[in-house]
RNA sequence: CGGGACGUGGCGCAGCCCGGUAGCGCACCUGAAUGGGGUUCAGGGGGUCGCGGGUUCAAAUCCCGCCGUCCCGACCA
């Protein structure tokens, strides 16, 4: 744990700032295994709250949870050509089942070598569609609407807490449909579920749209994405939904009898969101004092800190603090009754952890039947600290939490728009933005991978998505920003995590 | 896998150039006072100096080898 009192500021080194926030807030810690993190109770509670909300939405949209194995036979992964190419470079692979003691220490026992190596799942399409193919005979068995909460492993070269860990937690939805149209509708519906969750619960506005060919999921027909902007103006892909077409169905012989009696391949979709969202939350709302939690997912929404001087004050104040904590119904509260810390130290600690509201109660407050209410962050010109009657706080806390939630979303949206560029007139200007402060740049694009590659080569920026209608510029750009050719789609360019 | 930096109590670091009994801050433990924004004082515990070898009367320090971590590139939810 970092012990220096001053936090690295966002401007100095965004990565260091981010890491420090995560470690200091005790969301997670580094583990002995490279690239894997230990999620600490506070971080896990946050994840649980996110998970519960998503799970509720999945049920509301007709999905059921199930569980599929951690190990996938190597041959499964290799059936879909694009899919294996996408994941082969980052596979964790199990080849033996026993260790043997030798002069050099423990080594894999040669006698226990597996005939076929097992891959630790990087994603579960293959094994799930293998099972689906056994369960479905006719169109009457469709659709299959499944979801699983699981951990997956991708052996990436470079890792960062929450954003790209070797092992991460996620949910992956997998569905099978009788028609292409139904699959496409499902793909878009679930993207909408993600978008709503990110905006309404994480207060993280996203630009939604379709991925370009080079950025789409390995094996998918089409990929749709939610792209958020972080405080360093880089993009973070936070949830994706794929229309897999019949690609996997063909490889896993997933067929069904249609209404007309014809044998047809099923249409699949898959969609996922991961612990990466926790990282996105930190980078969207955090400031130099620490985390800022949107109330709807805050593990603690209100912390009560008693303040007293002498023992007789202690009894009085603690009793009142306990009463008030108990009266905050339907609010996730915490009474910080630790005796070994000064109030000031507690203030800093809870601010670091991003608790939306703090209630301070001292002897003066008890006498006046008031409390001090402090909001974690406030708008321009507002007072952070308010002296309010107890009854006022008790009756208004839900409204205040809602308002704070809305404030965070609006603040993030305003920041994103302030760093978005439309109507960029020249490639020089385009490069100037991406090489400089960065941001989302909306331009015309000819659709060629060459122009995409050229930009990536020169600026490291990529097409984050081809945005849906509502995000597009009022006046559609007519030409490709790179080659000047005719534009086939508007593209959002940015450097990404 | 290429380029760079770094491995010293739990964390962050100094000491190394110029070899001579391992130090600082934070954290931790005990006691007392304190308490409206990171309390103060006093006392205390804890380290194979990444690993292996070499030079030397003597190595954290010099030499050789290895291992590991981080950052930058290629890869990526």
């Amino acid at each position: 744990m970092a012990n220096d009192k001053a936090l690295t500021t966002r401007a100095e080194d965004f990565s260091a700032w981010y890491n420090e926030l995560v470690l200091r807030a005790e969301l997670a810690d580094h583990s002995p295994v490279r690239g894997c993190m230990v999620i600490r109770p506070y971080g896990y509670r946050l994840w649980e709250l996110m998970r519960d909300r998503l799970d509720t939405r999945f049920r509301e949209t007709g999905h059921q949870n199930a569980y599929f194995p951690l190990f996938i036979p190597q041959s499964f992964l290799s059936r879909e050509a694009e899919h294996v190419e996408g994941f082969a470079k980052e596979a964790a692979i199990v080849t033996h089942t026993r260790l043997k003691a030798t002069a050099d220490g423990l080594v894999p026992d040669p006698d226990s070598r597996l005939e076929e190596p097992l891959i630790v799942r990087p994603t579960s399409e293959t094994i799930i569609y293998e099972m689906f193919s056994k369960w479905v005979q006719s169109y009457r068995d469709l659709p299959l609407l499944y979801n699983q909460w699981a951990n997956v492993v991708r052996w990436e070269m470079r890792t960062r807490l929450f954003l790209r860990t070797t092992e991460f937690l996620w949910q992956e939805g997998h569905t099978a449909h009788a028609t292409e149209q139904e699959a496409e509708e499902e793909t878009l519906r679930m993207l909408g579920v993600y978008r709503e969750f990110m905006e309404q619960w994480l207060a993280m506005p996203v630009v939604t749209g379709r991925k370009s060919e080079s950025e789409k999921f390995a094996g998918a027909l089409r990929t749709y994405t939610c792209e958020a902007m972080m405080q360093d103006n880089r993009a973070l892909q936070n949830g994706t939904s794929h229309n897999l077409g019949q690609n996997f169905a063909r490889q896993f012989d997933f067929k069904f009898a249609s209404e007309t009696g014809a044998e047809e391949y099923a249409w699949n979709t898959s969609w996922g969101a991961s612990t990466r969202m926790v990282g996105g939350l930190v980078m969207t709302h955090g400031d130099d004092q620490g985390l800022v939690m949107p109330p709807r997912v805050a593990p603690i929404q209100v912390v009560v800190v008693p303040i007293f001087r002498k023992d007789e004050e202690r009894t009085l104040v603690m009793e009142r603090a306990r009463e008030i904590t108990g009266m905050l119904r339907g609010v996730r509260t915490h009474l910080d009754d630790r005796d070994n810390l000064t109030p000031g130290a507690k203030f800093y600690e809870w601010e670091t952890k991003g608790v939306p509201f703090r209630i301070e109660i001292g002897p003066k407050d008890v006498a006046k039947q008031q409390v001090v209410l402090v909001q974690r962050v406030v708008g321009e010109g507002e007072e952070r600290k308010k002296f309010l009657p107890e009854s006022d706080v008790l009756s208004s806390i839900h409204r205040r939490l809602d308002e704070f939630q809305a404030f965070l979303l609006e603040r993030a949206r305003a920041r994103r728009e302030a760093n978005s560029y439309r109507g960029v007139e020249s490639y020089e200007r385009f490069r100037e933005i991406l090489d400089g402060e960065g941001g989302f740049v909306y331009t015309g694009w000819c659709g060629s991978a060459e122009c995409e590659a050229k930009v990536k080569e020169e600026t490291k920026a990529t097409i984050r998505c081809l945005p849906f209608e509502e995000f597009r510029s009022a006046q559609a750009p007519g030409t490709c920003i790179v080659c000047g050719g005719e534009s086939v789609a508007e593209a959002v360019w940015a450097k990404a995590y």
Side-chain angles (χ1 to χ4, degrees):
Chain A
M1 194 94 328
N3 286 311
D4 305 312
K5 291 196 172 176
L7 206 62
T8 310
T9 66
R10 278 164 291 182
E12 277 167 15
D13 181 345
F14 197 78
S15 299
W17 169 83
Y18 169 78
N19 259 306
E20 219 171 316
L21 249 58
V22 169
L23 293 173
R24 274 215 214 177
E26 299 182 343
L27 291 180
D29 205 350
H30 293 284
S31 82
V33 180
R34 192 208 78 109
C36 294
M37 66 174 167
V38 175
I39 304 180
R40 305 185 66 180
Y42 189 65
Y44 198 77
R45 183 72 189 117
L46 173 61
W47 173 241
E48 278 179 328
L49 286 159
M50 293 185 186
R51 205 182 57 188
D52 287 351
R53 174 59 192 173
L54 280 173
D55 220 24
T56 301
R57 292 294 293 133
F58 296 157
R59 268 196 302 277
E60 285 170 359
T61 46
H63 300 82
Q64 289 182 293
N65 283 333
Y67 186 79
F68 296 85
L70 172 68
F71 296 126
I72 295 177
Q74 192 179 70
S75 60
F76 278 27
L77 204 67
S78 50
R79 283 197 216 167
E80 216 287 334
E82 273 187 54
H83 193 65
V84 66
E85 201 185 315
F87 290 105
K89 284 171 286 183
E90 50 193 48
I93 179 163
V94 177
T95 54
H96 293 75
T97 66
R98 272 202 306 268
L99 291 169
K100 192 176 184 177
T102 69
D104 297 331
L106 288 171
V107 297
D109 184 347
D111 294 339
S112 73
R113 188 177 192 91
L114 290 169
E115 260 179 46
E116 181 181 2
L118 298 172
I119 307 298
V120 180
R121 62 180 167 217
T123 180
S124 307
E125 275 77 6
T126 56
I127 194 151
I128 290 180
Y129 303 140
E130 162 75 13
M131 295 312 294
F132 276 11
S133 72
K134 295 183 179 180
W135 296 340
V136 173
Q137 312 297 323
S138 95
Y139 73 95
R140 293 179 208 277
D141 298 325
L142 293 171
L144 252 32
L145 305 173
Y146 281 36
N147 176 60
Q148 92 163 338
W149 290 93
N151 54 342
V152 291
V153 167
R154 297 180 189 177
W155 218 273
E156 308 282 2
M157 274 300 159
R158 201 110 127 259
T159 62
R160 194 181 297 296
L161 290 169
F162 285 113
L163 296 181
R164 190 174 300 100
T165 43
T166 299
E167 178 190 9
F168 58 96
L169 306 185
W170 77 346
Q171 62 61 219
E172 45 180 325
H174 294 274
T175 68
H177 307 265
T179 66
E180 178 173 20
Q181 192 198 337
E182 209 183 299
E184 181 70 6
E185 282 167 7
E186 166 77 2
T187 310
L188 292 170
R189 178 185 309 121
M190 298 322 286
L191 188 80
V193 167
Y194 288 147
R195 179 184 174 181
E196 174 211 70
F197 172 70
M198 285 166 201
E199 297 192 340
Q200 299 307 310
W201 288 68
L202 305 184
M204 187 191 299
V206 291
V207 173
T208 51
R210 187 180 158 183
K211 282 286 185 194
S212 69
E213 203 57 22
S214 67
E215 294 275 328
K216 74 169 194 195
F217 177 73
L221 213 56
R222 286 186 283 280
T223 290
Y224 298 97
T225 179
C226 295
E227 300 285 328
M229 188 194 285
M230 302 295 105
Q231 288 184 63
D232 61 350
N233 292 345
R234 286 173 76 177
L236 186 72
Q237 175 179 317
N238 255 314
T240 47
S241 187
H242 318 290
N243 184 334
L244 303 175
Q246 295 175 308
N247 291 348
F248 286 90
R250 285 202 193 89
Q251 302 313 319
F252 289 88
D253 201 31
F254 180 7
K255 289 185 278 200
F256 68 96
S258 74
E259 280 181 78
T260 61
E263 203 169 52
E264 291 177 17
Y265 286 113
W267 301 82
N268 294 116
T269 84
S270 69
W271 25 276
S274 72
T275 37
R276 179 176 240 213
M277 288 188 295
V278 174
L281 192 74
V282 173
M283 293 202 294
T284 299
H285 302 300
D287 59 25
D288 290 347
Q289 274 67 252
L291 254 47
V292 176
M293 293 281 182
R296 283 187 178 163
V297 292
I300 298 173
Q301 295 169 312
V302 177
V303 66
V304 178
V305 179
I307 299 158
F308 46 81
R309 202 168 281 121
K310 310 177 194 71
D311 271 356
E312 59 268 28
E313 282 179 0
R314 181 182 197 285
T315 314
L316 183 76
V317 168
M318 283 304 295
E319 192 184 336
R320 196 70 196 125
R322 237 176 243 119
E323 278 170 20
I324 287 174
T325 308
M327 282 191 284
L328 290 164
R329 299 208 170 263
V331 179
R332 289 187 290 273
T333 57
H334 176 73
L335 171 63
D336 191 347
D337 58 0
R338 288 174 296 180
D339 258 346
N340 55 340
L341 288 179
T342 58
K346 293 178 184 178
F347 297 167
Y348 277 93
E349 180 175 333
W350 295 115
E351 270 172 23
T352 304
K353 291 189 170 175
V355 176
F357 287 96
R358 173 176 76 236
I359 291 178
E360 304 172 11
I361 303 177
K364 287 178 251 170
D365 305 310
V366 175
K368 293 188 213 164
Q369 298 214 327
Q370 68 167 25
V371 298
V372 177
L373 183 73
V374 185
Q375 188 170 306
R376 176 62 179 76
V377 283
V378 293
E380 202 77 21
E382 276 180 72
E383 277 301 317
R384 232 162 77 81
K385 209 165 175 171
K386 293 192 176 89
F387 295 78
L388 298 167
E390 283 171 4
S391 56
D392 180 335
V393 171
L394 291 172
S395 63
S396 69
I397 192 68
H398 286 98
R399 173 178 57 78
R400 289 175 193 277
L401 286 165
D402 287 348
E403 283 171 4
F404 186 53
Q405 178 86 31
F407 163 74
L408 290 179
L409 175 63
E410 193 38 50
R411 185 175 73 152
R413 196 194 302 280
R415 187 167 44 223
R416 182 191 70 192
E417 287 312 306
N419 292 290
S420 292
Y421 302 85
R422 295 163 202 265
V424 170
E425 67 286 350
S426 68
Y427 188 65
E428 286 66 43
R429 175 67 186 136
F430 176 77
R431 280 205 59 172
E432 190 181 294
I433 296 165
L434 292 172
D435 287 339
E437 292 294 293
F440 286 4
V441 189
Y442 294 67
T443 75
W445 175 50
C446 65
S448 79
E450 287 73 36
C451 286
E452 237 182 321
K454 178 179 152 126
V455 173
K456 188 171 183 180
E457 175 77 22
E458 293 182 357
T459 70
K460 292 188 187 128
T462 50
I463 294 178
R464 298 324 301 154
C465 71
L466 311 173
F468 289 145
E469 181 84 47
E470 62 170 300
F471 294 103
R472 288 186 208 141
S473 304
Q475 200 161 13
T479 57
C480 175
I481 191 74
V482 188
C483 67
E486 194 188 339
S487 169
V488 298
E490 186 167 15
V492 180
W493 305 79
K495 287 182 187 168
Y497 273 99

